[in-house]
Amino acid sequence: MPRVTRWLVRSSLVYLVLALLAWWALAAQRAGWLPATVAAWAPAYLHLFVVGWLTQLIFGVAHWMLPMYSKTQPRGREERLWAAWAALNLGLILRVATEPLAARAPGSVWGVLLVLSAVLQWAAALLFVINTWPRVRPRRS
Amino acid sequence: MPKLSVWFVRSALVHLMVGFTIGALVLVQKGTGKLPWSWALLGWHVDTLLVGWMTQLAMGIAYWILPRFGTRRGKVGFALAAWVAVNAGVLGSGVVLLAQAPTSWLALTRGSEGLGVVLFALHAWPRVKPAMTAEERTSSS
Protein backbone atom coordinates (compact mmCIF):
# COMPACT_ATOMS: atom_id res chain seq x y z
CA MET A 1 0.00 0.00 0.00
CA PRO A 2 1.59 3.33 -1.05
CA ARG A 3 2.38 5.91 1.65
CA VAL A 4 -0.14 8.47 0.38
CA THR A 5 -2.87 5.78 0.46
CA ARG A 6 -2.05 5.06 4.10
CA TRP A 7 -2.42 8.77 4.93
CA LEU A 8 -5.69 9.04 3.01
CA VAL A 9 -7.18 5.91 4.61
CA ARG A 10 -6.06 6.78 8.15
CA SER A 11 -7.35 10.34 7.74
CA SER A 12 -10.68 8.94 6.52
CA LEU A 13 -10.92 6.79 9.66
CA VAL A 14 -10.41 9.88 11.83
CA TYR A 15 -13.30 11.58 9.99
CA LEU A 16 -15.49 8.52 10.50
CA VAL A 17 -15.01 8.84 14.26
CA LEU A 18 -15.54 12.63 14.13
CA ALA A 19 -18.69 12.24 12.00
CA LEU A 20 -20.21 9.74 14.43
CA LEU A 21 -19.31 12.02 17.36
CA ALA A 22 -20.99 14.92 15.56
CA TRP A 23 -24.03 12.73 14.91
CA TRP A 24 -24.20 11.95 18.61
CA ALA A 25 -23.79 15.67 19.44
CA LEU A 26 -26.72 16.58 17.16
CA ALA A 27 -28.90 13.97 18.89
CA ALA A 28 -27.72 15.21 22.30
CA GLN A 29 -28.60 18.78 21.29
CA ARG A 30 -32.13 17.69 20.37
CA ALA A 31 -32.38 16.00 23.76
CA GLY A 32 -31.46 19.30 25.39
CA TRP A 33 -28.11 18.08 26.73
CA LEU A 34 -26.06 20.44 24.53
CA PRO A 35 -26.65 24.11 23.58
CA ALA A 36 -28.74 25.01 20.50
CA THR A 37 -25.65 26.40 18.71
CA VAL A 38 -24.54 22.79 18.06
CA ALA A 39 -27.34 22.46 15.46
CA ALA A 40 -25.48 24.91 13.18
CA TRP A 41 -22.97 22.13 12.47
CA ALA A 42 -25.57 19.85 10.85
CA PRO A 43 -24.42 20.41 7.21
CA ALA A 44 -20.79 20.13 8.27
CA TYR A 45 -21.53 16.82 10.01
CA LEU A 46 -22.92 15.36 6.79
CA HIS A 47 -19.78 16.38 4.91
CA LEU A 48 -17.47 14.95 7.57
CA PHE A 49 -19.11 11.64 6.72
CA VAL A 50 -19.48 11.88 2.93
CA VAL A 51 -16.32 13.84 2.05
CA GLY A 52 -13.96 13.17 4.97
CA TRP A 53 -14.78 9.49 5.38
CA LEU A 54 -16.26 8.06 2.16
CA THR A 55 -14.69 10.19 -0.57
CA GLN A 56 -11.27 10.27 1.06
CA LEU A 57 -11.34 6.48 1.56
CA ILE A 58 -12.22 6.06 -2.12
CA PHE A 59 -9.35 8.38 -3.15
CA GLY A 60 -6.88 6.30 -1.14
CA VAL A 61 -8.05 2.86 -2.22
CA ALA A 62 -8.49 3.87 -5.88
CA HIS A 63 -4.94 5.27 -5.97
CA TRP A 64 -3.70 1.94 -4.63
CA MET A 65 -5.79 -0.48 -6.71
CA LEU A 66 -6.50 0.99 -10.15
CA PRO A 67 -4.46 -0.27 -13.14
CA MET A 68 -0.86 0.99 -13.31
CA TYR A 69 -0.15 4.07 -15.43
CA SER A 70 3.33 3.06 -16.64
CA LYS A 71 6.36 1.12 -15.44
CA THR A 72 8.23 4.28 -14.50
CA GLN A 73 5.19 6.02 -12.95
CA PRO A 74 2.95 3.13 -11.88
CA ARG A 75 0.46 5.35 -10.08
CA GLY A 76 0.89 8.53 -12.09
CA ARG A 77 2.32 11.58 -10.33
CA GLU A 78 1.99 10.80 -6.64
CA GLU A 79 2.58 14.43 -5.62
CA ARG A 80 -0.87 15.21 -7.06
CA LEU A 81 -2.41 12.83 -4.50
CA TRP A 82 -0.40 14.42 -1.69
CA ALA A 83 -1.69 17.82 -2.79
CA ALA A 84 -5.23 16.41 -2.98
CA TRP A 85 -4.89 15.00 0.56
CA ALA A 86 -3.69 18.36 1.90
CA ALA A 87 -6.34 20.38 0.04
CA LEU A 88 -9.22 18.07 0.97
CA ASN A 89 -8.36 18.00 4.67
CA LEU A 90 -7.53 21.68 4.99
CA GLY A 91 -10.69 22.56 3.05
CA LEU A 92 -12.91 20.34 5.16
CA ILE A 93 -11.44 21.52 8.49
CA LEU A 94 -11.90 25.14 7.35
CA ARG A 95 -15.51 24.38 6.45
CA VAL A 96 -16.32 22.82 9.79
CA ALA A 97 -14.67 25.72 11.62
CA THR A 98 -16.18 28.59 9.63
CA GLU A 99 -19.60 27.51 8.28
CA PRO A 100 -21.64 28.24 11.44
CA LEU A 101 -19.84 31.58 11.90
CA ALA A 102 -20.28 32.58 8.22
CA ALA A 103 -23.99 31.74 8.45
CA ARG A 104 -24.35 34.52 11.03
CA ALA A 105 -22.32 37.06 9.03
CA PRO A 106 -22.07 36.37 5.26
CA GLY A 107 -19.36 38.49 3.64
CA SER A 108 -17.29 38.63 6.84
CA VAL A 109 -13.81 37.12 7.18
CA TRP A 110 -15.54 33.82 8.04
CA GLY A 111 -17.33 33.96 4.71
CA VAL A 112 -14.04 34.51 2.89
CA LEU A 113 -12.54 31.49 4.69
CA LEU A 114 -15.59 29.44 3.71
CA VAL A 115 -14.98 30.38 0.06
CA LEU A 116 -11.34 29.30 0.49
CA SER A 117 -12.56 25.95 1.87
CA ALA A 118 -14.77 25.52 -1.23
CA VAL A 119 -11.82 26.21 -3.55
CA LEU A 120 -9.56 23.79 -1.66
CA GLN A 121 -12.07 20.91 -1.72
CA TRP A 122 -12.81 21.49 -5.42
CA ALA A 123 -9.06 21.53 -6.19
CA ALA A 124 -8.63 18.24 -4.30
CA ALA A 125 -11.25 16.55 -6.49
CA LEU A 126 -9.66 17.99 -9.63
CA LEU A 127 -6.18 16.76 -8.67
CA PHE A 128 -7.55 13.27 -7.98
CA VAL A 129 -9.43 13.17 -11.30
CA ILE A 130 -6.41 14.42 -13.31
CA ASN A 131 -4.17 11.73 -11.82
CA THR A 132 -6.75 8.94 -11.99
CA TRP A 133 -8.31 9.48 -15.44
CA PRO A 134 -5.43 8.01 -17.53
CA ARG A 135 -5.27 4.96 -15.23
CA VAL A 136 -8.90 4.07 -16.01
CA ARG A 137 -8.45 2.31 -19.32
CA PRO A 138 -9.11 -1.07 -20.95
CA ARG A 139 -6.58 -3.86 -20.59
CA ARG A 140 -3.74 -3.57 -23.11
CA SER A 141 -3.85 -6.50 -25.58
CA MET B 1 -10.12 -3.42 -16.65
CA PRO B 2 -13.08 -4.26 -18.97
CA LYS B 3 -14.45 -1.51 -21.24
CA LEU B 4 -17.75 -1.27 -19.36
CA SER B 5 -15.88 -0.69 -16.08
CA VAL B 6 -13.94 2.09 -17.82
CA TRP B 7 -17.26 3.71 -18.78
CA PHE B 8 -18.64 3.37 -15.24
CA VAL B 9 -15.51 4.71 -13.52
CA ARG B 10 -14.86 7.58 -15.95
CA SER B 11 -18.52 8.62 -15.73
CA ALA B 12 -18.18 8.50 -11.93
CA LEU B 13 -15.15 10.82 -12.13
CA VAL B 14 -17.16 13.28 -14.25
CA HIS B 15 -19.97 13.20 -11.68
CA LEU B 16 -17.42 13.76 -8.89
CA MET B 17 -16.30 17.00 -10.57
CA VAL B 18 -19.87 18.14 -11.29
CA GLY B 19 -20.91 17.43 -7.69
CA PHE B 20 -17.90 19.14 -6.12
CA THR B 21 -18.34 22.15 -8.43
CA ILE B 22 -21.97 22.57 -7.34
CA GLY B 23 -20.96 22.07 -3.70
CA ALA B 24 -18.30 24.76 -4.05
CA LEU B 25 -20.82 27.18 -5.59
CA VAL B 26 -23.24 26.60 -2.68
CA LEU B 27 -20.42 27.22 -0.17
CA VAL B 28 -19.50 30.46 -2.00
CA GLN B 29 -23.16 31.50 -1.65
CA LYS B 30 -23.09 30.67 2.07
CA GLY B 31 -19.90 32.68 2.51
CA THR B 32 -20.73 35.71 0.40
CA GLY B 33 -24.47 35.67 -0.34
CA LYS B 34 -23.63 36.48 -3.98
CA LEU B 35 -24.83 33.31 -5.74
CA PRO B 36 -28.45 32.82 -4.55
CA TRP B 37 -29.28 30.85 -7.73
CA SER B 38 -26.87 28.11 -6.59
CA TRP B 39 -29.48 26.82 -4.09
CA ALA B 40 -31.47 25.49 -7.08
CA LEU B 41 -28.57 23.11 -7.77
CA LEU B 42 -28.53 21.56 -4.28
CA GLY B 43 -30.74 18.58 -5.21
CA TRP B 44 -28.52 17.78 -8.19
CA HIS B 45 -25.46 18.01 -5.90
CA VAL B 46 -26.92 15.12 -3.88
CA ASP B 47 -27.95 13.03 -6.94
CA THR B 48 -24.65 13.43 -8.75
CA LEU B 49 -22.45 12.64 -5.72
CA LEU B 50 -24.41 9.84 -4.05
CA VAL B 51 -25.59 8.05 -7.21
CA GLY B 52 -23.40 9.36 -10.05
CA TRP B 53 -20.10 9.30 -8.14
CA MET B 54 -20.17 6.82 -5.25
CA THR B 55 -22.73 4.27 -6.41
CA GLN B 56 -21.52 4.28 -10.00
CA LEU B 57 -17.86 3.91 -8.96
CA ALA B 58 -18.80 0.90 -6.82
CA MET B 59 -20.68 -0.59 -9.80
CA GLY B 60 -17.70 -0.12 -12.11
CA ILE B 61 -15.24 -1.71 -9.71
CA ALA B 62 -17.68 -4.54 -8.88
CA TYR B 63 -18.18 -5.28 -12.59
CA TRP B 64 -14.39 -5.55 -12.87
CA ILE B 65 -13.50 -7.61 -9.80
CA LEU B 66 -16.47 -9.82 -8.86
CA PRO B 67 -15.93 -13.53 -9.60
CA ARG B 68 -16.53 -14.48 -13.23
CA PHE B 69 -17.94 -17.55 -14.97
CA GLY B 70 -14.72 -18.70 -16.59
CA THR B 71 -13.86 -15.76 -18.83
CA ARG B 72 -17.43 -14.38 -18.96
CA ARG B 73 -19.04 -11.80 -16.69
CA GLY B 74 -22.61 -13.08 -16.88
CA LYS B 75 -25.48 -10.88 -18.05
CA VAL B 76 -23.45 -8.02 -19.53
CA GLY B 77 -26.57 -6.47 -21.08
CA PHE B 78 -28.02 -5.81 -17.61
CA ALA B 79 -24.84 -4.01 -16.53
CA LEU B 80 -24.78 -1.95 -19.74
CA ALA B 81 -28.45 -1.03 -19.27
CA ALA B 82 -27.63 -0.08 -15.65
CA TRP B 83 -24.94 2.34 -16.87
CA VAL B 84 -27.40 3.97 -19.29
CA ALA B 85 -30.23 4.18 -16.71
CA VAL B 86 -28.06 5.59 -13.91
CA ASN B 87 -26.45 8.27 -16.07
CA ALA B 88 -29.71 9.21 -17.81
CA GLY B 89 -31.34 9.44 -14.38
CA VAL B 90 -28.69 11.63 -12.77
CA LEU B 91 -28.34 13.94 -15.80
CA GLY B 92 -32.13 14.08 -16.15
CA SER B 93 -32.52 14.99 -12.48
CA GLY B 94 -30.08 17.85 -13.02
CA VAL B 95 -32.06 19.19 -15.97
CA VAL B 96 -35.41 18.79 -14.15
CA LEU B 97 -34.13 20.59 -11.03
CA LEU B 98 -32.50 23.37 -13.04
CA ALA B 99 -35.60 23.90 -15.18
CA GLN B 100 -37.81 23.69 -12.05
CA ALA B 101 -39.97 21.23 -13.99
CA PRO B 102 -42.98 19.51 -12.35
CA THR B 103 -42.06 17.07 -9.59
CA SER B 104 -43.51 14.19 -11.64
CA TRP B 105 -40.49 14.59 -13.95
CA LEU B 106 -38.14 14.25 -11.00
CA ALA B 107 -39.98 11.07 -9.99
CA LEU B 108 -39.25 9.71 -13.49
CA THR B 109 -35.54 10.60 -13.52
CA ARG B 110 -35.00 9.28 -9.99
CA GLY B 111 -36.94 6.21 -11.06
CA SER B 112 -34.37 5.76 -13.82
CA GLU B 113 -31.60 5.89 -11.19
CA GLY B 114 -33.44 3.24 -9.17
CA LEU B 115 -33.98 1.08 -12.25
CA GLY B 116 -30.24 1.26 -12.96
CA VAL B 117 -29.46 0.02 -9.47
CA VAL B 118 -31.94 -2.87 -9.82
CA LEU B 119 -30.49 -3.85 -13.22
CA PHE B 120 -26.98 -3.83 -11.77
CA ALA B 121 -28.08 -5.94 -8.81
CA LEU B 122 -29.60 -8.47 -11.24
CA HIS B 123 -26.27 -8.57 -13.08
CA ALA B 124 -24.13 -8.86 -9.95
CA TRP B 125 -26.27 -11.29 -7.91
CA PRO B 126 -25.13 -14.56 -9.58
CA ARG B 127 -21.51 -13.36 -9.57
CA VAL B 128 -21.47 -13.16 -5.78
CA LYS B 129 -20.38 -16.78 -5.33
CA PRO B 130 -17.54 -18.92 -4.03
CA ALA B 131 -14.38 -19.38 -6.10
CA MET B 132 -14.76 -21.29 -9.38
CA THR B 133 -15.83 -24.90 -9.01
CA ALA B 134 -13.74 -27.68 -10.63
CA GLU B 135 -16.51 -28.06 -13.23
CA GLU B 136 -16.40 -24.35 -14.15
CA ARG B 137 -12.61 -24.47 -14.33
CA THR B 138 -12.76 -27.40 -16.74
CA SER B 139 -15.44 -25.80 -18.91
CA SER B 140 -13.56 -22.51 -19.13
CA SER B 141 -10.21 -24.07 -20.09
Side-chain angles (χ1 to χ4, degrees):
Chain A
M1 186 182 273
R3 195 173 150 88
V4 68
T5 290
R6 298 201 300 271
W7 279 75
L8 284 159
V9 174
R10 284 183 175 160
S11 303
S12 78
L13 292 170
V14 171
Y15 282 108
L16 175 62
V17 173
L18 291 176
L20 272 285
L21 274 175
W23 197 20
W24 170 83
L26 288 170
Q29 185 272 320
R30 278 188 213 110
W33 301 347
L34 291 174
T37 49
V38 170
W41 266 279
Y45 144 70
L46 196 64
H47 289 84
L48 283 175
F49 194 85
V50 179
V51 178
W53 157 236
L54 290 174
T55 298
Q56 185 157 222
L57 182 74
I58 291 170
F59 281 12
V61 175
H63 182 68
W64 174 32
M65 293 191 61
L66 282 175
M68 297 298 168
Y69 176 65
S70 69
K71 278 185 182 167
T72 51
Q73 285 186 315
R75 292 185 171 85
R77 289 174 56 182
E78 204 147 281
E79 65 271 21
R80 287 180 186 147
L81 261 288
W82 281 111
W85 172 79
L88 191 82
N89 287 285
L90 188 57
L92 195 50
I93 291 165
L94 258 182
R95 179 188 184 153
V96 173
T98 61
E99 190 171 12
L101 301 164
R104 277 188 239 153
S108 65
V109 66
W110 305 115
V112 175
L113 289 173
L114 193 58
V115 172
L116 178 61
S117 92
V119 173
L120 284 168
Q121 291 176 82
W122 183 83
L126 184 65
L127 285 161
F128 172 76
V129 170
I130 288 172
N131 199 61
T132 305
W133 190 274
R135 292 179 61 190
V136 182
R137 53 180 165 72
R139 194 184 301 112
R140 285 186 184 130
S141 52
Chain B
M1 182 181 272
K3 267 187 189 166
L4 190 50
S5 282
V6 173
W7 294 3
F8 271 118
V9 176
R10 285 194 169 170
S11 304
L13 292 174
V14 170
H15 285 289
L16 169 68
M17 279 320 300
V18 172
F20 265 59
T21 302
I22 298 170
L25 291 173
V26 172
L27 274 187
V28 170
Q29 158 60 18
K30 286 183 177 183
T32 65
K34 287 183 178 166
L35 305 176
W37 49 266
S38 65
W39 287 116
L41 302 170
L42 195 60
W44 194 19
H45 172 66
V46 176
D47 278 84
T48 197
L49 285 176
L50 290 187
V51 182
W53 158 234
M54 288 185 183
T55 305
Q56 183 162 221
L57 182 81
M59 286 175 172
I61 300 297
Y63 183 78
W64 176 30
I65 66 172
L66 281 177
R68 289 176 285 182
F69 306 100
T71 55
R72 292 174 300 109
R73 286 189 162 83
K75 293 168 182 162
V76 175
F78 279 20
L80 179 61
W83 178 78
V84 172
V86 162
N87 285 288
V90 175
L91 290 175
S93 295
V95 172
V96 167
L97 289 163
L98 275 176
Q100 296 181 320
T103 47
S104 54
W105 284 91
L106 192 62
L108 283 176
T109 55
R110 290 203 170 143
S112 177
E113 293 170 19
L115 176 67
V117 170
V118 170
L119 287 166
F120 191 81
L122 288 171
H123 161 81
W125 193 274
R127 289 181 63 187
V128 182
K129 61 183 182 73
M132 267 205 295
T133 61
E135 195 181 314
E136 280 178 325
R137 238 176 267 128
T138 313
S139 65
S140 69
S141 59

